[in-house]
Amino acid sequence: MRMTSLLLPTEREAPADAEALSHVLGVRAGLIRQLGAGLWTWLPAGWRVHERAVGIIREEMNAIGGQEVLIPVLQPRDLWRRTGRGDLDEQFRLEDRKGSEMVLAMTHEEPMTFHMAQLVRSYRDLPKILYQFQTKGRDEPRPRAGVLRTREFIMKDAYSFDRDADGLEESYARHITAYDRIFDRAGLEWYRVESDVGMMGGSGAHEYMAPCPAGENEVALAPGYAANVEVASAEPQPVQLPAPSAAPQEVSTPGLTTVDQVSGHLGVPAGALLKAFPVVGETSGRLTLVLVRGDHRVNEVKLRNHLGEPVRAAHPAEIAAQIGPVGFIGPVGAQVPVVADLAIAQTGQGGWVAGANRPDAHLTGVEPGRDFAFEAADVRTVEEGDLVGGVPLRIEPAIEVGNIFRLGTRYSEPLGATFLDEAGVERPIVMGSYGIGPARIAAATIEQRADESGISWPRALAPWQVHVVALGKGAGPERDAAEVLYEQLLAAGIEALFDDRDAGAGEKFADAELLGCPLRITVGRRSLEEGHAEAQGRRSAVTLPGVPLGDGAVAAVTDLLAQLA
RNA sequence: CGGGGCGUGGCGCAGCCUGGUAGCGCACCUGCUUUGGGAGCAGGGGGUCGCCGGUUCGAAUCCGGCCGCCCCGACCA
């Protein structure tokens, strides 16, 4: 591709509203442009990257027996009502001219299962893996960071159909194989982490996380351990409790309502406090008092999974009516169920500090079990430095680039996707679903590999393998030699971008570094006289061996490319 | 949805407080010079100042309403 004809609007300055690196560089390098909140257009160079990611995914999905299909984005809302998903907040809804209710697909479990319900009759029709690359519409509460979280995006979504749980395990394992290869080939640093299965039930799920500063998730990492912080468990760091006493002692803590104030006033570590967090079940309406250590935070995902329903923080009025004065509540004497985090329950010690359920007062010397009844559960968020297998945990922000999910019969049952087994018994198909966001692969790659000058693509994702820069404005020997080299590369099937613009050397180099093709070949007066062009890898400042012009050029470039990642 | 911020040529911004000819840098067009790290000189084109309404002789500027976009949080099967 010649840059004189390419639509590549590079910018010297970052857009004022861009924060994330992938957002800034995506716009500056001319890959993407914004149409509206969470709505992004892929320009030619950016789309080439996206399609390279798609190509890798397609190859690996085919390699595990996946079959590619294409399902409409526009769908009857009724289908979604049948699975109880006709009213989701994130769902784009519309009507056709006849007034029929339609939705834009957020994902494609419903239509996929709908088809399979009609097409699968017998256990002989299973297993199957079907996938597609298709647009998803999600009315996100807050789109952000360029293409990282958008309201419309392309997802590779795959669905597995098996006769039983063992079959699902096999399909699930195949996807792990494919996904591991996909993210390796894309050149990402990634982790496969345990993730929340949500309220959908199912027997487990994993997310593929690419660490990067703009990530919206947090992953907890230790050797041999990787989990989304939403579900991560670890051994807490110890805390020195004050000496126990025979019975709780009331102490005056006037106006002291925060953990810091109380621990400072009493001269005890924050971790010696029992932080009381009253929650109300969204469906049951039941109030529960959750206790975590004063230096810990309640993990709402783990809490929700433990209680079996979503929860919200209790309102001050509810707290005052059922437990005690806000700021001074505690488990002792509280007439509500108490859930104590394992970091408290497992110590078996006394000496804790808790609210006294009386204004301006706390209790010291509190001992769980003796002074109040509780149910023990792991409901806290892990902290950096907590131990897993004796090794301190670290926590990193990451982008979710893919997920794999055991669905079970969540969709096959309501949509009547069944088959007859050998015994003639009708059974629901056991399903899995598996997503990957190619745009997030591109964004995560930018985040992980960019430097001060711009993007640095791995060969697997680069929009072009070679960026040929002709120096010298207008016609001249450099331009002629570069022209010949460019044509040779094209003829040899090497994807090359040719900077044939009448621009200064600095501008051409700056644009080449911004765009980040793996190999830059410069044809300039300096080396032309000796009959060669200069080669520069994007990732290193080291000048590579020169490329001879003429017959050996293609072979030399091929060699250089082989040395680059 | 709560909090904060911003809307002025393609991009980045000033002007608004204190109403009176819409400005700067980059980019763009023409010519000449220049040509290995975002060139110089000269000339030139391009803006409903987000939208609607109000105040005023006069509104980018003041007032009201609306819309859009960004950031933080909530949220994100």
Side-chain angles (χ1 to χ4, degrees), chain A residues 128-149:
Chain A
K128 288 275 181 294
I129 293 174
L130 298 167
Y131 74 96
Q132 64 173 348
F133 295 92
Q134 181 59 293
T135 300
K136 313 297 173 199
R138 296 185 186 179
D139 196 358
E140 290 285 347
R142 185 153 101 82
R144 59 178 290 274
V147 298
L148 230 48
R149 177 167 292 279

Side-chain angles (χ1 to χ4, degrees), chain A residues 147-164:
Chain A
V147 298
L148 230 48
R149 177 167 292 279
T150 54
R151 294 196 294 175
E152 183 187 302
F153 61 99
I154 291 173
M155 178 189 275
K156 184 286 296 176
D157 48 321
Y159 306 90
S160 64
F161 301 87
D162 284 282
R163 54 182 301 176
D164 53 24

Side-chain angles (χ1 to χ4, degrees), chain A residues 64-107:
Chain A
I64 60 166
Q67 304 176 49
E68 188 168 354
V69 299
L70 188 66
I71 302 173
V73 173
L74 186 63
Q75 308 182 353
R77 184 176 176 187
D78 187 53
L79 183 57
W80 289 68
R81 288 213 172 93
R82 289 168 60 186
T83 58
R85 301 211 295 174
D87 273 302
L88 300 178
D89 287 342
E90 291 191 354
Q91 192 168 52
F92 281 113
R93 286 183 279 271
L94 65 160
E95 285 186 0
D96 68 14
R97 66 168 73 202
K98 297 193 299 263
S100 298
E101 295 179 300
M102 314 294 285
V103 299
L104 297 183
M106 311 173 46
T107 174

Side-chain angles (χ1 to χ4, degrees), chain A residues 22 42 49-50 53-54 57 147-148 150 152-155 399 401 436-446 457:
Chain A
S22 56
W42 292 88
V49 173
H50 188 279
V54 164
I57 297 166
V147 298
L148 230 48
T150 54
E152 183 187 302
F153 61 99
I154 291 173
M155 178 189 275
I399 299 177
V401 288
I436 294 182
R440 285 188 171 180
I441 290 180
T445 299
I446 293 174
W457 295 111

